[in-house]
Amino acid sequence: MKPVFIEGIGIIFTRGRGLNKFEQALKDGWDEPTVSADGRKAYRVPKDALIDYNILKKVRRSDRFSRLAVFAACDAIHDSDLDIADLDQSSIGIIIATAFGPHATIFKVLDDIIDYGEKKVSPTTFANSIHNAAASYVASALGCTGPVMTTTQFYFSFQQALLLASSWLNEGRLKKVLVGIVDECSPAMEYICEEKLSVAHNGKMSPLSCLKRPKFVPGEGSAFFLVSQDSRKKKYGAFTEIDITGNSHGWTDVDLSIIGTNAMGGSEEVYKDILNKGIPVAAYSSIYGGFMTGNAFECAAAALMLKNQTQYASPNVDRTELWNVADKSKERELNQIQCISHNNTQKLVFIKMTK
Amino acid sequence: MKIYVTGLGLISAAGENEKETLTSFESGKRRAGPVSLFSTQIQSPAYEAKGFSRHYFPEQLRTLNLCLAATEDALDDASLKEEIRGKRIGVAMGTTVGSVLNDINFNMEFRDKGSAPMDSVNLYLEGNLSSGIHSFLQTEGPSITVVNACVSGANAIGVAMSWLRSGLCDIAIAGGADELNKVPFCGFGALGILSDSLCSPFDLNRKGLNLGEGAGVLLLESEQSMERRKKKPRAIMRGYDFSNDAHHLTSPDPSGAGIERAITGALIDARLEPDAISFINAHGTATIDNDLVEARVLHNLFGSTIAFLSTKGYIGHTLGAAGALEAGFCILALEQGWIPGCAGFKKLDLNIPIAPVTQKTQIEGHFALSTSMGFGGCDAALVIEFPE
């Protein structure tokens, strides 16, 4: 694959909005999750992170899900110093990947049907409940009239979206693509996670534990990358390989492996056979919580580390004997990092990122 | 790079296969009626795939079952059924309903009791279209479910074209599927765009759309793959483009700039001038706004004599399946040499400068255009060629 260079990153997560906050979180390590009214723990995005009237005035009727995406997408553009007004607005594409879509808004539509009857559904709520509403708001907020697409693939939503972005650039269809993820953790999602997964009641996820049902705390957020094939615009390195075959053992010429330990795919046992003991291993999901599209956050972490030439300590790892864990934050030469995720059938997908 | 269509699977209210579909088109028969798949107080005819009963997955996963049935038909048509396991085959599917956790009983029980059985959640997790098909067929290659509202099916075909052009796979299974479902039925009702009678695309008295269901799947191949298999193409996917209005969540940009950009881009991709197009399968939902904007753009680009129609009068608006089904209908029309009349159209709207064909119409030439427009301001266009 031709390198896909990262020009800008935008991110919103449990500790707020902005890449600086994310970088600080990687330095600080684990922190307590938020606690909802019914006592469930989750890494939710705080309300004050979603207040920015300059942006909100452009997306007044949007729901929380769309706002997560709009804020992260706008920040990625801002981070790149790109002035969209200077460009042909149809030359930028947008791809948003999501595992569960705006399910909290969908449940509001269902509430309307139950409470008021079939004919009294709020049209605004219904419009916001459609999966591509967030992408539409992003396009409107940025004034992008190029291709805009929303995709979903549960576990590998981000990887497939990134692969598509790479295809669009290869074809010459577009000059730049804003590719990212958004997922939301509603009370219903917290409940579903509690029923289907092994929730960490002490608030600590257990990355790299190899437990059959790893301890889990749900998370949410949005992360976007502005990417192109123009190496001159590179700010954070590049995506250089994406392997979605499921047959791969990854790469051995990398300096760090980041594992997507979101617990939804079950045990990380599958990594033990394929990870070269010489390569340090890290997992950061206990910082932002577990969700299927969280591997975009791992790529954001990798991008920061490649830029800063700094490895951030992998928090909350108990079973250090199983792995060569990157357990200390330190400056080090980092040329290539691979981000690996697995699904519930233990299929592995790899992304390689290069300085 | 040329991308060939070597297989087709079409399931809709117009028929469960190509022969039935063509019979419906030829006779002008419209198989719509009251909703039978769920109880509803909303009075709007629906186009159900009445006889559909092929179940590969639990019955509740109707969208996935429709999609896999059309996929199997496309694979059969392409003589590819037995030799796909482990092949570099991409799966790109569009949907709306198939991506949504919208079980009313789950929601009611959860909010009343704070707990609810996981059955519907488990089904939902099983129901992702491209994942489901990818796993069922055990293919190796990229796999993505496009959830771009009513443009999803056309976009999924476009995604597959991108993959093939980028060399990510040799063959791609691409299309879309959607079942008739109560939640969007209520939602479209809330938006005031459901017609209480049979839809009448581009007509002066059009009152809105009728929902439908179905699946359309195209088997796309690179030239090398097709030649290796000694297979003849049914069509060539000649061009594709899509764009966004950046205007409004549910209404098209009145200027039509988005759909015009998509059509122009698809023609450039196909290296064709507008006068090469023999006919257009328009999106034509029969809503006031869609038809007005779309027809004006078609008139601007293709003049007043272009043959066009909407097939929504035969299948309803099948949402995520629409773009793929209609691409399939274009292939049938190019092969047959005729397009059906635009069912439901009777009287010209003076605000619309061109009229669709009203009866079975012979077509000449080799190129068709299929347009799609959707919520979120999405617009897409596909140019399809009948091979010499």
Side-chain angles (χ1 to χ4, degrees):
Chain A
M1 125 180 199
K2 280 189 190 167
V4 173
F5 299 103
I6 303 169
E7 298 186 13
I9 301 174
I11 199 160
I12 185 164
F13 73 122
T14 188
R15 297 193 207 175
R17 176 182 163 201
L19 204 54
N20 291 342
K21 288 218 164 98
F22 188 63
E23 192 174 346
Q24 192 58 47
L26 291 169
K27 288 176 184 169
D28 293 347
W30 179 81
D31 199 0
E32 288 278 353
T34 51
V35 182
S36 63
D38 51 9
R40 292 196 177 100
K41 292 180 173 171
Y43 286 102
R44 302 198 82 213
V45 174
K47 278 184 186 169
D48 60 2
L50 284 164
I51 297 171
D52 179 337
Y53 294 108
N54 284 326
I55 293 178
L56 289 177
K57 69 184 179 191
K58 297 176 185 169
V59 294
R60 280 179 301 171
R61 292 186 176 179
S62 58
D63 63 354
R64 186 172 178 275
F65 178 82
S66 291
R67 289 177 184 189
L68 289 168
V70 169
F71 279 44
C74 289
D75 287 352
I77 296 290
H78 185 255
D79 184 45
S80 72
D81 295 326
L82 178 73
D83 188 346
I84 289 185
D86 290 343
L87 289 178
D88 169 2
Q89 291 168 330
S90 63
S91 66
I92 301 182
I94 298 169
I95 306 175
I96 297 186
T98 177
F100 293 98
H103 65 273
T105 306
I106 292 161
F107 287 144
K108 283 182 189 164
V109 173
L110 304 185
D111 285 346
D112 279 0
I113 294 172
I114 295 163
D115 294 335
Y116 308 116
E118 294 176 10
K119 296 181 180 175
K120 299 285 185 185
V121 171
S122 155
T124 305
T125 309
F126 175 66
N128 281 328
S129 78
I130 296 164
H131 262 58
N132 70 332
S136 173
Y137 282 120
V138 170
S140 292
L142 294 171
C144 287
T145 57
V148 174
M149 189 175 283
T150 305
T151 64
T152 179
Q153 193 62 14
F154 288 134
Y155 299 92
F156 301 136
S157 298
F158 176 64
Q159 292 90 334
Q160 296 285 356
L162 188 60
L163 197 63
L164 181 61
S166 159
S167 293
W168 284 0
L169 294 169
N170 275 346
E171 280 184 285
R173 183 175 289 283
L174 293 158
K175 290 198 168 70
K176 298 179 193 294
V177 180
L178 188 58
V179 56
I181 62 96
V182 57
D183 265 305
E184 185 180 18
C185 186
S186 68
M189 188 56 62
E190 288 173 10
Y191 169 70
I192 290 167
C193 290
E194 195 170 86
E195 286 293 299
K196 295 190 68 67
L197 302 164
S198 176
V199 169
H201 293 291
N202 65 357
K204 286 190 174 183
M205 287 181 70
S206 54
L208 309 174
S209 64
C210 285
L211 292 171
K212 199 168 182 183
R213 298 184 76 200
K215 297 291 181 189
F216 177 80
V217 180
E220 65 174 7
S222 179
F224 275 84
F225 301 83
L226 181 69
V227 297
S228 75
Q229 289 183 336
D230 184 352
S231 61
R232 294 166 303 170
K233 305 282 184 184
K234 174 179 79 170
K235 188 170 177 182
Y236 297 98
F239 297 104
T240 45
E241 299 276 357
I242 305 167
D243 189 325
I244 47 102
T245 60
N247 304 323
S248 175
H249 284 195
W251 297 278
T252 54
D253 60 347
V254 296
D255 304 302
L256 182 69
S257 296
I258 303 178
I259 296 180
T261 52
N262 66 27
M264 290 187 167
S267 171
E268 299 99 10
E269 191 96 24
V270 65
Y271 296 101
K272 279 204 311 193
D273 295 335
I274 61 135
L275 284 180
N276 186 327
K277 288 278 184 189
I279 300 170
V281 179
Y284 300 104
S285 48
S286 59
I287 291 174
Y288 36 80
F291 54 110
M292 287 183 182
T293 50
N295 31 68
F297 282 35
E298 277 112 49
C299 290
L304 279 171
M305 287 191 272
L306 289 167
K307 179 171 186 269
N308 298 339
Q309 291 294 288
T310 300
Q311 167 190 292
Y312 299 114
S314 181
N316 283 3
V317 179
D318 296 328
R319 300 195 63 189
T320 50
E321 78 280 7
L322 292 175
W323 316 88
N324 176 15
V325 178
D327 56 354
K328 288 189 175 58
S329 292
K330 60 183 179 188
E331 287 184 10
R332 65 175 283 223
E333 188 178 350
L334 292 165
N335 292 310
Q336 302 200 101
I337 295 175
Q338 63 179 342
C339 298
I340 320 173
S341 294
H342 68 293
N343 69 2
N344 60 339
T345 63
Q346 303 285 283
K347 180 180 170 179
L348 293 166
V349 166
F350 300 82
I351 295 174
K352 186 196 267 187
M353 298 173 70
T354 303
K355 187 171 75 172
Chain B
M1 176 186 170
K2 283 191 174 178
I3 291 161
Y4 295 88
V5 182
T6 54
L8 201 54
L10 302 172
I11 299 169
S12 71
E16 260 200 67
N17 53 50
E18 292 177 23
K19 194 176 168 193
E20 287 177 15
T21 302
L22 284 167
T23 303
S24 293
F25 286 173
E26 194 151 28
S27 65
K29 186 156 183 158
R30 308 178 70 182
R31 300 171 198 274
V35 175
S36 70
L37 286 166
F38 48 84
S39 63
T40 180
Q41 297 151 358
I42 296 170
Q43 300 295 314
S44 176
Y47 288 80
E48 297 175 345
K50 285 263 187 196
F52 180 74
S53 59
R54 292 154 72 181
H55 295 144
Y56 310 84
F57 296 94
E59 196 175 349
Q60 298 96 316
L61 294 175
R62 186 171 172 86
T63 300
L64 183 54
N65 283 316
L66 282 162
C67 192
L68 189 49
T71 298
E72 290 226 306
D73 291 349
L75 290 169
D76 269 345
D77 187 28
S79 319
L80 199 62
K81 211 166 174 182
E82 305 302 322
E83 46 176 300
I84 53 172
R85 191 173 170 169
K87 289 258 167 68
R88 271 185 5 127
I89 298 177
V91 181
M93 290 295 165
T95 189
T96 61
V97 176
S99 62
V100 179
L101 178 56
N102 68 359
D103 188 289
I104 293 173
N105 292 329
F106 173 85
N107 185 54
M108 189 147 47
E109 207 162 332
F110 173 67
R111 65 181 212 163
D112 290 349
K113 298 178 187 168
S115 65
M118 284 290 111
D119 304 2
S120 58
V121 175
N122 293 335
L123 277 171
Y124 167 69
L125 290 170
E126 228 184 297
N128 184 287
L129 289 197
S130 57
S131 292
I133 287 170
H134 185 75
S135 311
F136 188 86
L137 300 176
Q138 297 185 25
T139 52
E140 282 181 13
S143 159
I144 212 164
T145 301
V146 178
V147 282
N148 238 18
C150 312
V151 181
S152 302
N155 279 158
I157 293 169
V159 165
M161 290 169 71
S162 291
W163 287 342
L164 287 160
R165 285 171 171 173
S166 299
L168 291 173
C169 54
D170 309 308
I171 295 172
I173 301 165
D178 258 322
E179 70 190 68
L180 188 73
N181 181 280
K182 184 168 189 160
V183 177
F185 201 73
C186 297
F188 278 88
L191 289 168
I193 52 174
L194 279 185
S195 174
D196 59 5
S197 54
L198 287 181
C199 66
S200 44
F202 301 105
D203 187 80
L204 170 67
N205 297 313
R206 65 192 183 281
K207 292 190 286 184
L209 57 83
N210 303 142
L211 285 174
E213 62 173 0
V217 173
L218 277 61
L219 205 296
L220 306 182
E221 287 193 58
S222 66
E223 190 164 11
Q224 296 91 321
S225 169
M226 193 183 64
E227 282 177 355
R228 201 164 44 237
R229 299 196 315 110
K230 298 184 172 61
K231 187 74 189 165
K232 282 195 173 169
R234 292 187 65 175
I236 301 167
M237 296 311 298
R238 189 63 192 259
Y240 162 71
D241 201 11
F242 70 121
S243 69
N244 191 272
D245 290 347
H247 171 73
H248 189 270
L249 200 51
T250 54
S251 297
D253 176 358
S255 77
I259 185 64
E260 186 163 339
R261 210 165 33 247
I263 294 170
T264 307
L267 289 169
I268 291 169
D269 194 30
R271 296 177 189 179
L272 293 174
E273 295 296 323
D275 60 7
I277 297 297
S278 304
F279 73 93
I280 300 166
N281 191 124
H283 188 61
T285 56
T287 62
I288 301 285
D289 291 343
N290 177 94
D291 291 8
L292 186 65
V293 170
E294 188 177 18
R296 282 180 176 168
V297 169
L298 297 184
H299 178 255
N300 285 346
L301 291 174
F302 297 95
S304 54
T305 57
I306 184 73
F308 80 102
L309 81 156
S310 162
T311 42
K312 301 279 193 299
Y314 297 96
I315 64 168
H317 192 349
T318 56
L319 304 177
L325 275 167
E326 291 162 22
F329 297 158
C330 285
I331 295 171
L332 296 185
L334 287 166
E335 287 175 337
Q336 298 292 320
W338 57 268
I339 52 174
C342 182
F345 176 84
K346 287 183 185 138
K347 196 170 181 185
L348 185 66
D349 178 344
L350 291 179
N351 293 310
I352 293 181
I354 48 174
V357 299
T358 54
Q359 56 193 358
K360 181 179 170 183
T361 302
Q362 301 299 314
I363 51 157
E364 292 179 355
H366 291 86
F367 300 101
L369 176 76
S370 179
T371 55
S372 295
M373 298 165 71
F375 285 175
C378 299
D379 306 290
L382 291 160
V383 177
I384 302 162
E385 179 181 359
F386 181 58
E388 296 278 357

